[in-house]
């Protein structure tokens, strides 16, 4: 039985690599172009599958060539796609991504069918939520669907991990039902009002957030806060090529680590290894490592 369910977005990414991201009104000549399956929810589901966790994926796609390509790709990765809904009234989600020479990115998303995932759709998969140990979600789908899924999971004892991306204000009801939240710098700042400019800022933000929180800090690493535990986990040093999906890979690997019985600190170390591999590659799902690749980097320190 799959321990992990992911509810979230499914997109097709249109990516261009360029020396720098253009200013408003400016045109720059780019280089490499790629078209890949993406979307935060799909990226996280693929990460779980490739890293070795069985995963059910709930999403809404358009009844079009992009949605069909995505379904075929998910099936090849071993994801349970029986909960993905085809919607003939909207196109599949699309994302336009520009990546600069330092690996930083700028992304614009047209949600399409993702924006039509409703509480009624969630109700149809309620039993599968209840049978899962972990439910991983993000915010590229409508908030009512996220809140309703979290409420079902909380009542059933399913642990809800929320990656609050893209950044949004969260209700007290949603926050109170979470097992864990995994914001990055900007998301932490929006949620807490605390400036997160490094480790100290992350610690101050964690004081405001839930009792169990992981603040991701990009090239610095991640701060773990759980009860009396507060630990800084440094990132692996790599030459970043493209940071697209690094956070999604981190969250997927974190869920796999927890589902395998690792402590939270151990699972975060495991996840930082996965995201380090992903930023050294171009693309979203094309950058996600396999378990064999991850195990080669995730070795105990001598």
């Amino acid at each position: 039985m799959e321990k992990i369910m992911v509810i979230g977005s499914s997109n097709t990414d249109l990516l261009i690599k360029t020396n720098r991201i253009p200013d408003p009104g400016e045109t720059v000549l780019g280089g490499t172009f790629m078209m890949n399956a993406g979307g935060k929810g799909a990226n996280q589901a693929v990460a779980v599958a490739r890293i070795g966790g069985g995963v059910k994926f709930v999403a809404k796609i358009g009844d079009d060539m992009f949605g069909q390509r995505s379904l075929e790709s998910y099936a090849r990765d071993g994801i349970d796609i029986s909960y993905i809904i085809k919607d003939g009234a909207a196109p599949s989600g699309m994302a336009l991504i520009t990546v600069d020479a330092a690996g930083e990115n700028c992304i614009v998303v047209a949600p399409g069918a993702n924006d039509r995932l409703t509480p009624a759709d969630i109700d149809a998969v309620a039993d599968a939520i209840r049978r899962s140990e972990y439910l991983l979600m993000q915010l590229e789908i409508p908030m009512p669907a996220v809140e309703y899924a979290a409420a079902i999971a909380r009542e059933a004892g399913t642990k809800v991990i929320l990656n609050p991306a893209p950044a949004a204000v969260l209700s007290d009801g949603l926050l109170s039902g979470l097992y864990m939240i995994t914001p990055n710098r900007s998301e932490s700042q929006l949620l807490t009002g605390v400036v997160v400019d490094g480790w100290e800022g992350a610690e101050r933000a964690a004081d405001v957030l839930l009792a169990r929180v992981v603040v991701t800090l990009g090239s610095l690493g991640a701060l773990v806060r759980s009860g009396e535990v507060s630990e800084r986990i440094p990132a692996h040093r790599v030459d970043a090529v493209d940071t697209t999906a690094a956070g999604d890979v981190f969250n997927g690997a974190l869920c796999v680590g927890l589902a395998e019985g690792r402590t939270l600190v151990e699972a975060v170390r495991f996840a930082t290894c996965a995201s380090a591999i992903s930023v050294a590659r171009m693309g979203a799902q094309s950058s996600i490592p396999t378990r064999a690749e991850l195990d080669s980097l995730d070795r105990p320190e001598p």
Side-chain angles (χ1 to χ4, degrees):
M1 181 184 73
E2 294 94 343
K3 291 185 175 183
I4 300 169
M5 171 178 276
V6 176
I7 300 178
S9 56
S10 170
N11 292 330
T12 295
D13 291 346
L14 305 179
L15 181 151
I16 296 178
K17 181 81 173 179
T18 186
N19 287 332
R20 62 183 179 84
I21 294 170
D23 294 325
E26 182 185 18
T27 298
V28 299
L29 291 178
T32 305
F33 170 78
M34 300 174 66
M35 183 171 74
N36 291 314
K40 292 184 181 299
N43 295 342
Q44 292 177 9
V46 171
V48 172
R50 287 192 194 162
I51 293 168
V55 60
K56 303 173 288 247
F57 182 34
V58 179
K60 185 168 276 192
I61 60 174
D63 189 8
D64 52 31
M65 62 173 284
F66 297 108
Q68 186 58 39
R69 282 168 58 102
S70 295
L71 280 178
E72 292 167 359
S73 177
Y74 304 152
R76 284 194 298 270
D77 275 311
I79 294 170
D80 183 345
I81 60 173
S82 60
Y83 302 97
I84 296 178
I85 305 159
K86 280 188 177 181
D87 187 337
S92 296
M94 303 292 291
L96 306 180
I97 305 173
T98 305
V99 181
D100 69 15
E104 294 300 325
N105 61 58
C106 178
I107 305 173
V108 179
V109 176
N114 293 304
D115 219 20
R116 292 167 57 85
L117 192 68
T118 66
D121 296 321
I122 300 302
D123 215 29
V125 301
D127 286 344
I129 293 173
R130 297 184 183 104
R131 293 194 300 270
S132 303
E133 184 175 352
Y134 292 94
L135 172 61
L136 175 60
M137 293 189 289
Q138 335 70 37
L139 300 177
E140 283 187 336
I141 54 174
M143 191 66 76
V146 173
E147 292 177 336
Y148 189 53
I152 292 171
R154 180 184 184 183
E155 184 178 344
T158 299
K159 300 179 180 72
V160 182
I161 299 176
L162 180 67
N163 175 217
V169 176
L170 305 178
S171 69
D172 290 341
L174 176 58
L175 284 167
S176 66
L178 299 181
Y179 173 74
M180 186 190 309
I181 192 166
T182 61
N184 65 14
R185 279 189 180 94
S186 61
E187 293 149 8
S188 297
Q189 290 180 182
L190 177 68
L191 291 170
T192 66
V194 174
V195 175
V196 180
D197 51 4
W199 292 114
E200 292 78 12
E203 288 165 348
R204 291 193 296 272
D207 289 338
V208 179
L209 287 167
L210 298 171
R212 189 179 291 107
V213 58
V214 176
V215 181
T216 57
L217 297 169
S219 60
L220 280 181
L223 174 75
V224 180
R225 176 69 61 82
S226 179
E228 298 300 314
V229 175
S230 183
E231 189 161 343
R232 300 175 179 183
I233 309 297
H236 287 263
R237 297 302 173 193
V238 296
D239 293 327
V241 173
D242 179 9
T243 57
T244 305
D248 300 329
V249 174
F250 180 95
N251 279 274
L254 174 64
C255 281
V256 173
L258 292 171
E260 290 180 350
R262 300 174 192 243
T263 67
L264 178 54
V265 169
E266 291 169 344
V268 169
R269 288 201 181 100
F270 183 69
T272 59
C273 291
S275 60
I277 294 171
S278 75
V279 300
R281 301 170 175 172
M282 286 288 292
Q285 290 169 31
S286 57
S287 74
I288 298 173
T290 64
R291 182 55 177 263
E293 291 172 320
L294 181 49
D295 285 343
S296 70
L297 185 61
D298 180 39
R299 298 181 184 279
E301 297 180 1

